[in-house]
Amino acid sequence: MDINHEDDGKKGKFYVILNGKEEAAMTYVYAGKNFIIDHTEVSEVFKGQGVGYKLVEAGVNFARENNIKIKPLCPFAQAVFKKKGPLYADVLY
């Protein structure tokens, strides 16, 4: 599964396309140099396959590579950050 990424400097998203349709996405908006995860959605096609976790992980990796902190406002992203605890603490805003 390929996770795609779009970023226009104001907002962005990590997403998965299946058969030409976006079936999963995690969106974010910039707040200064950092960003806020505001929404994560995964279609029934991918339910139970950990795709939401992979999207958040892609965001964390992007943040690490670019020295960005993340504020997870989306309830799903908050739960992932809480579960990962110290593993994601370095990028938590």
Side-chain angles (χ1 to χ4, degrees):
M1 170 186 13
D2 291 328
I3 295 178
N4 302 290
H5 183 214
E6 292 179 8
D7 187 310
D8 68 8
K10 295 179 183 175
K11 62 183 170 140
K13 69 179 176 177
F14 291 89
Y15 60 100
V16 177
I17 301 288
L18 181 65
N19 298 324
K21 182 179 176 193
E22 185 176 287
E23 296 287 355
M26 181 199 77
T27 60
Y28 61 89
V29 295
Y30 280 95
K33 189 175 184 235
N34 304 309
F35 70 74
I36 297 166
I37 297 175
D38 57 3
H39 185 70
T40 306
E41 188 170 351
V42 177
S43 75
E44 291 296 322
V45 174
F46 288 126
K47 290 287 185 191
Q49 297 180 38
V51 174
Y53 282 95
K54 291 175 185 172
L55 293 171
V56 173
E57 182 179 44
V60 167
N61 290 335
F62 174 75
R64 285 180 176 143
E65 292 166 6
N66 293 281
N67 199 28
I68 296 171
K69 298 290 184 183
I70 300 173
K71 185 168 189 173
L73 289 185
C74 159
F76 177 78
Q78 284 179 346
V80 172
F81 268 77
K82 184 175 182 181
K83 182 176 182 179
K84 296 291 185 175
L87 295 176
Y88 286 0
D90 62 314
V91 296
L92 185 60
Y93 177 76

